[in-house]
C-alpha cells in the first residue's frame, strides 16, 4: 500500500469533516440533489469525452495508486547487474531463458540473445517506452478532465439552485433548501476536484515518471551488457539515474532472482 496516498486522502477528509463538526451540524452539508448533479454530471461528461475502456482503466490505475508501493530504481539496477553476471558466466544466449513478470525486460533479454545490434535494441525498447507514456497519459487525462468538470457542474448546480430559489420567493420556507443546493454543489465540485481527481492525476503522473526511469535503466542496462558485459561499468552507468543519496552500493544490492 502507498502510505503517502492513503494518509493524504484520510487526513484531508478528516480535517474537512472536523472543521464542519466544529462549525455546526454535518447534516447541513449533505444534499442528495447536489451530489447527483456533481457526481452524475462529472461521470456522464467523462464518459462522453473518453472511451469506456479508458475510463475503466483510469479507475483501475487509481486503485493501484493506493494499493501498490512504487518500485525502487535500485531494484532495476540490481536486476541488470545480476543479468550481467549471468551473461558473463553462461553467455548472452542464456538471457533468452530468463523468466520475469516484466514484458519489457523479457523483450530486452530476447533481443540481446538474438544478437540484435545496439540500434535495433534501442529503437525497439524506446518504442515500448513511448507507447507506455501515451497509454498512461490517457489515464492521467481522465482524472485531469474530471478535475475540471466537477467544479463546472458545481457551478451548474449553483445556478439551478438559484433559479429554484428565485422562482419561489413567495414561499419563504423553500428559500433555504434551494439555497443549500446552490451552495453545496459548488462545495462538492471543488472538494472532489481538489481532494480526489487532481491529486490522483498527479500521483499517476509521478508513478509514470518512476516507471519510465525503471524502463530506461533496463534499456541502458541491456545496451551496457551488450557492449561491455562488465558489472562495475554497468553499475556506474545505471546508478546515474538515481539521486546520489538514494543509491545503494553495488556490494549492498539485493540481486533479485529473475531466472528461477
Amino acid at each position: 500500500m502507498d502510505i503517502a496516498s492513503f494518509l493524504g486522502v484520510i487526513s484531508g477528509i478528516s480535517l474537512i469533516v472536523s472543521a464542519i463538526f466544529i462549525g455546526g451540524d454535518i447534516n447541513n452539508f449533505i444534499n442528495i440533489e447536489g451530489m447527483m448533479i456533481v457526481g452524475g454530471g462529472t461521470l456522464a461528461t467523462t464518459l462522453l469525452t473518453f472511451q469506456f475502456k479508458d475510463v475503466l482503466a483510469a479507475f483501475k490505475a487509481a486503485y493501484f495508486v493506493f494499493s501498490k508501493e512504487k518500485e525502487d530504481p535500485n531494484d532495476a539496477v540490481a536486476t541488470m547487474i545480476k543479468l550481467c553476471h549471468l551473461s558473463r558466466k553462461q553467455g548472452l544466449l542464456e538471457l533468452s531463458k530468463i523468466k520475469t513478470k516484466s514484458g519489457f525486460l523479457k523483450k530486452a533479454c530476447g533481443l540481446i540473445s538474438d544478437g540484435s545490434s545496439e540500434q535495433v535494441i534501442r529503437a525497439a525498447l524506446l518504442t515500448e517506452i513511448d507507447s507506455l507514456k501515451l497509454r498512461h497519459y490517457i489515464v492521467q487525462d481522465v482524472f485531469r478532465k474530471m478535475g475540471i468538470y466537477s467544479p463546472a457542474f458545481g457551478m451548474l448546480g449553483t445556478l439551478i439552485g438559484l433559479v429554484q430559489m428565485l422562482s419561489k420567493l413567495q414561499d419563504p420556507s423553500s428559500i433555504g433548501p434551494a439555497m443549500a443546493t446552490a451552495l453545496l454543489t459548488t462545495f462538492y465540485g471543488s472538494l472532489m476536484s481538489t481532494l480526489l481527481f487532481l491529486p490522483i492525476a498527479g500521483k499517476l503522473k509521478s508513478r509514470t515518471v518512476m516507471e519510465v526511469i525503471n524502463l530506461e535503466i533496463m534499456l541502458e542496462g541491456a545496451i551496457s551488457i551488450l557492449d561491455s558485459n562488465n558489472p562495475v561499468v554497468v553499475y556506474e552507468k545505471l546508478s546515474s539515474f538515481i539521486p546520489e543519496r538514494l543509491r545503494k552500493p553495488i556490494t549492498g544490492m539485493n540481486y533479485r532472482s529473475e531466472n528461477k
Side-chain angles (χ1 to χ4, degrees):
M1 176 180 290
D2 188 337
I3 300 298
S5 299
F6 181 76
L7 289 178
V9 173
I10 295 300
S11 61
I13 294 176
S14 299
L15 290 172
I16 292 172
V17 172
S18 298
I20 292 173
F21 268 118
I22 293 173
D25 187 358
I26 193 171
N27 291 323
N28 295 332
F29 287 81
I30 299 176
N31 185 276
I32 302 301
E33 293 87 349
M35 293 179 183
M36 291 172 59
I37 292 172
V38 177
T42 300
L43 181 60
T45 310
T46 302
L47 291 173
L48 182 62
T49 305
F50 299 94
Q51 297 184 44
F52 180 77
K53 64 178 183 179
D54 293 330
V55 177
L56 188 61
F59 281 99
K60 287 181 179 179
Y63 169 76
F64 285 114
V65 165
F66 297 95
S67 63
K68 186 178 179 181
E69 289 285 352
K70 64 180 181 180
E71 298 179 358
D72 186 355
N74 284 292
D75 293 336
V77 175
T79 298
M80 298 314 297
I81 294 175
K82 178 178 178 61
L83 295 180
C84 184
H85 281 291
L86 179 65
S87 64
R88 292 191 81 185
K89 293 179 180 179
Q90 302 182 33
L92 294 177
L93 287 176
E94 192 67 21
L95 297 180
S96 62
K97 302 177 183 178
I98 293 297
K99 294 181 180 180
T100 174
K101 294 180 180 179
S102 172
F104 186 89
L105 182 59
K106 184 69 176 178
K107 184 173 185 177
C109 291
L111 289 170
I112 295 174
S113 62
D114 287 341
S116 301
S117 65
E118 176 181 341
Q119 291 76 15
V120 171
I121 295 175
R122 189 176 295 277
L125 297 184
L126 282 176
T127 300
E128 287 281 350
I129 293 175
D130 291 339
S131 298
L132 178 139
K133 289 179 180 178
L134 290 174
R135 293 193 301 270
H136 285 205
Y137 177 83
I138 295 175
V139 170
Q140 297 161 22
D141 200 39
V142 169
F143 286 102
R144 279 195 291 265
K145 289 296 191 296
M146 292 180 77
I148 295 173
Y149 295 152
S150 55
F153 275 97
M155 183 59 65
L156 181 61
T158 297
L159 295 176
I160 292 173
L162 290 175
V163 170
Q164 292 175 341
M165 183 184 68
L166 293 174
S167 65
K168 298 180 180 179
L169 285 178
Q170 71 277 10
D171 182 9
S173 63
S174 66
I175 295 178
M179 194 63 183
T181 300
L183 296 177
L184 286 176
T185 51
T186 299
F187 170 74
Y188 294 149
S190 299
L191 180 66
M192 293 168 67
S193 176
T194 56
L195 188 61
L196 290 177
F197 299 143
L198 294 181
I200 290 175
K203 177 68 76 171
L204 289 173
K205 183 178 180 180
S206 67
R207 285 297 183 89
T208 297
V209 171
M210 185 58 64
E211 187 170 351
V212 168
I213 289 176
N214 286 330
L215 296 183
E216 289 180 347
I217 288 174
M218 295 179 190
L219 186 157
E220 294 299 333
I223 299 300
S224 298
I225 290 174
L226 190 66
D227 287 344
S228 66
N229 234 9
N230 188 318
V232 176
V233 174
V234 173
Y235 169 79
E236 293 297 338
K237 186 175 182 179
L238 301 185
S239 62
S240 300
F241 285 92
I242 306 172
E244 188 172 356
R245 62 184 178 84
L246 299 178
R247 296 175 192 171
K248 292 182 181 179
I250 189 171
T251 55
M253 284 191 166
N254 179 25
Y255 297 160
R256 295 183 301 175
S257 179
E258 298 283 350
N259 59 337
K260 289 184 178 180

